[in-house]
Amino acid sequence: MSASLPSGILLPEAVLYSDWFAVWATFVAINTLMYAALSVAKMLPKIYPSDWIRRRNRRTETRGIYPDAETVRSE
């Protein structure tokens, strides 16, 4: 570290090199990564795995008030 930059401006230098401060800094880093990952996952479109799997309980024709409407799953 250069002599022009004073270390430990907010906290004494001994605190910055202590074990509990390293553990705390690691916790904050992991927490930040998890928050960023959850934020990115929240921005992505939602995935419905049931749309990928074909099941027998799917209707082949609409039962709505508009019978000519396009069905969700047409076979």
Side-chain angles (χ1 to χ4, degrees):
M1 184 170 271
S2 70
S4 63
L5 291 174
S7 62
I9 294 174
L10 294 176
L11 298 171
E13 190 172 0
V15 173
L16 297 178
Y17 291 111
S18 63
D19 289 338
W20 68 268
F21 190 82
V23 172
W24 184 60
T26 303
F27 172 76
V28 170
I30 291 171
N31 193 19
T32 302
L33 288 176
M34 290 181 67
Y35 182 78
L38 289 174
S39 298
V40 169
K42 195 73 172 177
M43 289 189 301
L44 295 175
K46 191 166 183 175
I47 297 172
Y48 297 99
S50 63
D51 290 345
W52 300 337
I53 301 169
R54 301 197 110 167
R55 294 189 178 165
R56 293 187 317 165
N57 62 357
R58 291 279 181 157
R59 295 185 181 123
T60 57
E61 58 188 44
T62 182
R63 296 176 62 190
I65 60 173
Y66 303 108
D68 295 333
E70 186 175 312
T71 58
V72 176
R73 294 258 181 185
S74 61
E75 294 183 69

